[in-house]
Amino acid sequence: MTSIQRSSGRSTAWDPATEITVDHTSPVPLYFQVASQIEKAIDTGSLPVGTRLDNEIDLAARLGLSRPTVRQAIGSLVDKGLVVRKRGAGTQVVFNRVKRPLELTSLYDDLARIDQKPTTRVLVNEVVPASAEVAQRLGISEGDDVLRLERVRAARGEPIARMRNELPAALIQPSSETLEERGLYQLLRSAGVRLHAAHQTIGARVATEEDSELLDEPVGAPLLTMERTTYDQEGKVVEYASHVYRASRYSFDLSLRGES
């Protein structure tokens, strides 16, 4: 019987006794070795949401480790929000961190592609006159109509991002119901907008009280930030975005190349 099971009780292919390698001669703490390998299995989908780990005594015995070591490993995963301890049911995987490639795609499309079942709560969907600052960002005249959006995006029921977008209202004016069902880039492409390039800046800040309420993170928790200006094939700005993401649930993934 494997020590890691789906919530239905059927064993999975990922068996800690064979998949986890522990090096007693390494300076890396044993608990960290165990935790990092379980976390990797969660991130790669080998341990999907709902997977249950058997009790710490059995897991320690199968790995040849002490119970306190395994308990510390599981505790570190609990602290990261990846698993929860349930009385009478052991430890269960509750969320795997979303890793998003730095590409010209929408968050909705990225989540749908990796089966994260995205949902959207629309907070603001209104057409307003462009302020001087917004007009400069979008390359339009002050006072022109601008579509202002604010949404909270969730993956598998967990909020992960608060998104603010501004774009020329002449491009699209979707209903809130449509915004709940489709990604913004889907709507732009359906309207004939050809997305060509974007300038994007990644940063970080701490969560405010409003962030805490919307994203279910404590005040002061680290958040990732992303600002993006997107252009069509004619070089016109079609969108300015300002998003914040839960650092505990989300990361950007990129590849770098050296000189050829």
Side-chain angles (χ1 to χ4, degrees):
M1 174 179 165
T2 182
S3 288
I4 295 186
Q5 303 175 326
R6 293 189 186 276
S7 55
S8 64
R10 292 177 294 177
S11 62
T12 72
W14 202 90
D15 182 356
T18 58
E19 299 289 347
I20 293 179
T21 301
V22 178
D23 183 357
H24 291 265
T25 66
S26 171
V28 178
L30 295 176
Y31 87 89
F32 186 83
Q33 294 183 43
V34 173
S36 60
Q37 291 175 72
I38 294 178
E39 181 175 354
K40 181 179 180 180
I42 293 173
D43 280 347
T44 60
S46 298
L47 291 177
V49 174
T51 301
R52 189 176 72 248
L53 284 70
D54 279 354
N55 67 70
E56 294 164 0
I57 296 177
D58 291 344
L59 188 55
R62 290 172 62 81
L63 294 174
L65 299 172
S66 68
R67 184 182 179 186
T69 296
V70 171
R71 184 169 185 80
Q72 188 175 7
I74 299 301
S76 68
L77 297 173
V78 171
D79 291 341
K80 290 183 177 182
L82 299 176
V83 303
V84 294
R85 290 188 173 104
K86 295 187 176 182
R87 186 180 298 276
T91 305
Q92 190 171 29
V93 176
V94 292
F95 205 86
N96 54 322
R97 186 182 292 109
V98 175
K99 292 187 176 181
R100 183 182 182 188
L102 287 176
E103 299 175 352
L104 189 50
T105 56
S106 73
L107 177 58
Y108 188 96
D109 294 339
D110 290 337
L111 293 174
R113 186 174 63 244
I114 57 176
D115 194 30
Q116 288 294 319
K117 297 179 173 55
T119 55
T120 304
R121 180 156 64 105
V122 179
L123 305 177
V124 176
N125 176 14
E126 61 182 3
V127 175
V128 298
S131 65
E133 180 182 359
V134 171
Q136 183 177 16
R137 286 173 179 166
L138 298 179
I140 59 178
S141 299
E142 184 176 354
D144 284 355
D145 284 347
V146 170
L147 176 62
R148 185 169 66 187
L149 305 174
E150 185 170 350
R151 296 159 294 158
V152 174
R153 179 68 40 76
R156 292 184 178 273
E158 287 273 352
I160 63 169
R162 176 184 181 180
M163 308 180 299
R164 290 172 173 161
N165 301 78
E166 295 162 324
L167 53 158
L171 296 177
I172 56 171
Q173 292 187 27
S175 67
S176 294
E177 290 76 14
T178 300
L179 288 167
E180 291 173 354
E181 297 172 355
R182 302 177 65 187
L184 182 59
Y185 282 9
Q186 288 183 18
L187 298 175
L188 286 169
R189 291 188 175 103
S190 295
V193 178
R194 302 179 69 182
L195 306 176
H196 178 66
H199 176 75
Q200 185 163 279
T201 301
I202 307 298
R205 66 172 175 81
V206 297
T208 64
E209 290 187 5
E210 189 176 10
D211 294 326
S212 175
E213 181 179 349
L214 292 174
L215 297 178
D216 195 24
E217 287 280 357
V219 174
L223 299 176
L224 292 170
T225 66
M226 184 274 285
E227 293 188 3
R228 174 188 282 187
T229 303
T230 307
Y231 303 86
D232 65 12
Q233 286 197 327
E234 297 179 354
K236 295 179 180 178
V237 178
V238 296
E239 173 220 22
Y240 173 77
S242 177
H243 298 177
V244 292
Y245 303 85
R246 299 174 68 181
S248 62
R249 296 289 188 269
Y250 191 90
S251 64
F252 290 99
D253 194 16
L254 67 158
S255 299
L256 304 177
R257 294 182 180 180
E259 296 181 359
S260 57

